[in-house]
Amino acid sequence: RAPPQGMAALMSAYTALLVIGVFFVLAIVVCAWGSFLDHYEHDPGRVRLAMFVALVAVTLVEAALVAGGVLHGWVFLASVAVNLWGSLDAILRFPAAHDLESFFSVKQFLLLVAKTFACALGMVSFRRHAAVFLALLLLNIWGLPVIYSMALPMDPAEQVISDDAQDVDLAIRAWRLATSASERRACAAACRSFWYRRLAVASESSSIARLAICAASPEHRRAFRKMGRSV
């Protein structure tokens, strides 16, 4: 049975407000991201970290929509696959540039289209949650490629990754990691190096963090003593 006229008008007004809110949030995100890039456009590591945080937030939102009964469970599995092979792969290879006809670009586009259809078909009630789908479409699905494109350096000389060996598809990386002991050792060494750099930055910015790091790691305590630091 059709809802009463007053209820239908109320639902239409509610949907309109949600749509306006989605575009408002999108405008805020774009402006905030542009301001962030104004300060850190020449720091690809920081930009990469910010995009990774955004990807985690997007994944958590999608999990919440599944838990809230807005999306079917299989949509989250498809979304995670797209987020890993698509978005995470792009973040790891940032700021390397790729031609539009490259496998990277074609793969990214097809994955986004697949995720769009998955979310559209996986809505528990598309009519009831049409505004939610619009938010997903603009913020979660196509929003990430927008901020990625905004983050790419304008100077072609900066559109390169520090190590060309890292500009490899994530699926190939995973296969090499699973089949090659040398790749696993190299990955472990890179993770340790990254972790030590983060700890060093934390210790330099906070004396409390320095005390905690030294208490937990004798190796760092010895390193600080050699540098003449009092802990």
Side-chain angles (χ1 to χ4, degrees):
R1 188 178 62 177
Q5 186 175 0
M7 183 62 69
L10 183 61
M11 291 177 62
S12 298
Y14 176 70
T15 302
L17 286 176
L18 283 179
V19 170
I20 294 173
V22 167
F23 281 101
F24 182 71
V25 171
L26 180 62
I28 291 177
V29 169
V30 170
C31 290
W33 184 243
S35 177
F36 175 83
L37 293 177
D38 288 341
H39 291 85
Y40 301 110
E41 62 177 330
H42 302 298
D43 187 350
R46 191 179 292 268
V47 174
R48 194 181 298 116
L49 178 61
M51 289 192 292
F52 177 75
V53 171
L55 177 61
V56 172
V58 163
T59 305
L60 291 177
V61 168
E62 293 163 351
L65 291 175
V66 171
V70 178
L71 294 172
H72 290 292
W74 64 266
V75 178
F76 181 69
L77 298 178
S79 178
V80 168
V82 172
N83 291 349
L84 290 176
W85 195 30
S87 301
L88 181 60
D89 181 48
I91 292 171
L92 293 175
R93 299 163 76 173
F94 179 85
H98 301 87
D99 296 331
L100 290 177
E101 64 273 12
S102 66
F103 174 76
F104 173 86
S105 299
V106 174
K107 180 193 76 171
Q108 295 291 335
F109 176 75
L110 292 179
L111 287 175
L112 289 173
V113 172
K115 186 174 180 179
T116 299
F117 278 102
C119 289
L121 297 175
M123 301 290 290
V124 174
S125 175
F126 190 89
R127 185 174 182 179
R128 182 186 305 173
H129 302 298
V132 175
F133 174 73
L134 179 63
L136 274 174
L137 186 67
L138 295 179
L139 298 175
N140 282 35
I141 301 175
W142 294 93
L144 289 178
V146 170
I147 67 172
Y148 179 87
S149 300
M150 290 175 61
L152 284 174
M154 298 297 293
D155 186 358
E158 295 183 0
Q159 294 179 354
V160 293
I161 198 167
S162 57
D163 185 0
D164 289 338
Q166 301 300 318
D167 190 13
V168 178
D169 191 86
L170 186 61
I172 298 177
R173 286 193 188 188
W175 174 255
R176 290 176 178 174
L177 194 63
T179 58
S180 172
S182 61
E183 285 289 336
R184 290 192 291 271
R185 287 193 296 269
C187 180
C191 291
R192 284 195 300 268
S193 177
F194 173 81
W195 178 243
Y196 288 154
R197 288 197 303 269
R198 296 300 98 190
L199 289 177
V201 171
S203 66
E204 291 172 359
S205 60
S206 171
S207 58
I208 297 177
R210 185 186 311 158
L211 289 172
I213 292 171
C214 290
S217 173
E219 182 178 349
H220 283 84
R221 185 162 57 246
R222 289 192 296 269
F224 285 131
R225 284 174 178 172
K226 288 181 181 179
M227 296 174 63
R229 297 183 177 181
S230 175
V231 295

